[in-house]
Amino acid sequence: MQKTVSLTVNGKPVSATVEGRTLLVQLLREQLGLTGTHVGCDTSQCGACVVHVDGEAVKACTLLALQAEGRSVLTIEGVATGDTLHPMQEAFRNNHALQCGFCTPGMVTSARFASISRATCAAAPAITTSCWRSPRGRR
Ligand code: FES
């Protein structure tokens, strides 16, 4: 059974018709053409598919597209500002951290999330509940 899902991707509202079993990563890659998010495994362990959903790092292979209804998704395509790389992308480039490049989008989005979390926790540790979660508890 197909349903329509509406969400915001990289700041733009989008809608798509998906099967109930469609994963967020499939929606992004196959229907929205955002192929920077990769599938590197079939066990949800590699992290090549990490995107941000409402500001949280999420493995897009573990979330159904329909679960993203009304949410805001940031993919690697939305990390840079125009032609200006995000500082995390710049740091990866400056430190030759790209390797083959296949997993790099997931590593950049994960590292970007970690840097934001660290800064947020440092600024307001008492009021930021995510500061108390272990990294393994994050989606
Ligand atoms: S594709 Fe490997 S964790 Fe999602």
Side-chain angles (χ1 to χ4, degrees), residues 16 31-32 43 82-83 87 99 123 129-130 139:
Q31 292 187 249
L32 301 180
T43 55
D83 290 338
Q99 301 180 28
T129 55
S130 63
R139 290 174 273 161

Side-chain angles (χ1 to χ4, degrees), residues 38-41 44-49 59 61:
H38 293 160
V39 176
C41 69
S44 299
Q45 293 180 323
C46 74
C49 64
K59 292 177 182 174
C61 72

Side-chain angles (χ1 to χ4, degrees), residues 18-88:
V18 298
E19 296 282 340
R21 65 183 177 200
T22 301
L23 298 171
L24 178 59
V25 69
Q26 293 173 306
L27 170 64
L28 294 171
R29 289 183 55 83
E30 298 167 16
Q31 292 187 249
L32 301 180
L34 297 170
T35 56
T37 303
H38 293 160
V39 176
C41 69
D42 59 3
T43 55
S44 299
Q45 293 180 323
C46 74
C49 64
V50 171
V51 297
H52 292 200
V53 177
D54 291 340
E56 293 274 345
V58 173
K59 292 177 182 174
C61 72
T62 64
L63 195 71
L64 294 171
L66 291 173
Q67 291 176 296
E69 172 69 31
R71 301 176 84 176
S72 180
V73 175
L74 178 74
T75 71
I76 191 67
E77 288 89 349
V79 170
T81 304
D83 290 338
T84 304
L85 294 178
H86 182 275
M88 190 60 71

